[in-house]
């Protein structure tokens, strides 16, 4: 299994212990509001789209991403009036993760270090955002055996590739090629406050 992972074209991740998770808490500033995680932003935006400002405020102040998600999922999404939930969620997650990696240089470095592998959300429970497999399942290294679509893993891979090709990040990309010190992929579990509270570049790029 270790040999298979070493030869793999994929980088599996799952749960908030990984910096790439939407549930890992890093403050991000978007449109003047501070969100504790990308998950907070997604469900805040959902509540606002539903016209429920009270719910949105509760989500904004939720102590954890899991709580923000539970609050956000308490109200149904009417696709006949609002369109596809998955398309809405994809766009909001792309925006939030764009800001996240633009704001934190160490997280951006960790993301860039996964290149050229395809990021894979190794959720055994989610067959849309993830692949329906555990990270330690040997089948995760063969996309033909995935049970899910890996939409979030694909989103992060697309974002990473776009950022790495952007002029402002080229020095960082070149530094990685020169063997700069690695950044831990897994988190130590502490919430991070903003390094840079003016992430201007990220908010201008569309998916």
């Amino acid at each position: 299994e270790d040999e298979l992972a070493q030869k793999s074209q994929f980088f599996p991740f799952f749960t908030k212990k990984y910096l790439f998770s939407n549930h890992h808490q890093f403050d991000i500033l978007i449109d003047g509001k501070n969100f504790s995680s990308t998950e907070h932003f997604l469900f805040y935006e959902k509540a606002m789209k539903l016209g429920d400002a009270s719910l949105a405020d509760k989500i904004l102040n939720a102590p954890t991403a899991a709580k923000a998600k539970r609050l956000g999922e308490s109200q149904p999404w009417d696709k006949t009036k609002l369109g596809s939930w998955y398309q809405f969620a994809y766009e909001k997650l792309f925006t939030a993760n764009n800001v996240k990696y633009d704001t934190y240089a160490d997280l951006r470095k960790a993301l860039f270090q996964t290149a050229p592998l395809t990021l894979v959300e190794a959720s055994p429970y989610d067959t849309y955002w993830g692949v329906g497999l555990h990270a330690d399942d040997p089948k995760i290294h063969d996309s033909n055996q995935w049970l899910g679509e890996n939409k979030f893993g694909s989103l992060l891979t697309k974002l990473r590739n776009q950022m790495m090709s952007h002029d402002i990040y080229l020095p960082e990309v070149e530094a990685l090629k020169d063997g700069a010190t690695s950044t831990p992929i897994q988190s130590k579990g502490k919430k991070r406050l903003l390094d840079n509270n003016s992430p201007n570049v990220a908010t201008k790029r569309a998916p």
Side-chain angles (χ1 to χ4, degrees), residues 14-28 35-40 64-66 97 100-101 104 107 152 185-192:
F14 185 51
T15 76
K16 64 182 181 181
K17 72 179 180 180
Y18 283 91
L19 308 179
F20 308 127
S21 171
N22 286 308
H23 281 236
H24 197 89
Q25 297 200 190
F26 294 92
D27 286 354
I28 54 174
F35 298 90
S36 295
S37 71
T38 51
E39 196 84 349
H40 280 77
T64 66
N97 278 278
K100 172 180 172 178
Y101 292 103
Y104 298 103
L107 301 193
F152 183 61
I185 298 297
Q186 295 190 23
S187 161
K188 294 182 180 179
K190 293 183 179 179
K191 180 180 175 180
R192 280 280 304 281

Side-chain angles (χ1 to χ4, degrees), residues 14-187:
F14 185 51
T15 76
K16 64 182 181 181
K17 72 179 180 180
Y18 283 91
L19 308 179
F20 308 127
S21 171
N22 286 308
H23 281 236
H24 197 89
Q25 297 200 190
F26 294 92
D27 286 354
I28 54 174
L29 186 68
I30 303 177
D31 295 333
K33 288 186 171 56
N34 192 47
F35 298 90
S36 295
S37 71
T38 51
E39 196 84 349
H40 280 77
F41 176 72
L42 169 61
F43 285 103
Y44 173 90
E45 288 291 297
K46 176 188 176 183
M48 293 301 290
K49 187 73 172 179
L50 296 175
D52 194 334
S54 175
L55 178 61
D57 188 61
K58 291 178 182 177
I59 291 169
L60 184 65
N61 293 290
T64 66
K67 177 65 174 178
K69 179 175 181 170
R70 285 195 296 272
L71 287 167
E73 289 183 337
S74 67
Q75 295 297 322
W77 180 268
D78 187 345
K79 67 178 181 180
T80 59
K81 293 181 180 179
L82 303 172
S84 166
W85 160 250
Y86 289 117
Q87 183 60 36
F88 176 87
Y90 184 98
E91 292 172 0
K92 298 305 177 182
L93 287 175
F94 195 97
T95 295
N97 278 278
N98 205 352
V99 174
K100 172 180 172 178
Y101 292 103
D102 181 69
T103 303
Y104 298 103
D106 57 339
L107 301 193
R108 188 166 62 248
K109 181 178 179 181
L111 181 65
F112 288 179
Q113 285 175 328
T114 65
L117 303 180
T118 297
L119 287 145
V120 179
E121 183 167 39
S123 170
Y125 318 109
D126 193 328
T127 56
Y128 184 80
W129 299 110
V131 295
L133 298 169
H134 284 282
D136 57 359
D137 190 321
K139 293 193 292 292
I140 206 162
H141 300 291
D142 180 359
S143 58
N144 293 321
Q145 298 191 64
W146 290 352
L147 304 178
E149 299 182 50
N150 192 41
K151 291 295 187 180
F152 183 61
S154 296
L155 180 157
L156 276 188
T157 302
K158 178 179 179 178
L159 174 61
R160 179 199 68 201
N161 293 345
Q162 285 189 5
M163 294 184 83
M164 291 183 74
S165 66
H166 200 287
D167 289 347
I168 65 170
Y169 301 126
L170 287 181
E172 296 178 23
V173 174
E174 291 301 317
L176 287 177
K177 291 178 182 178
D178 293 337
T181 304
S182 63
T183 298
I185 298 297
Q186 295 190 23
S187 161

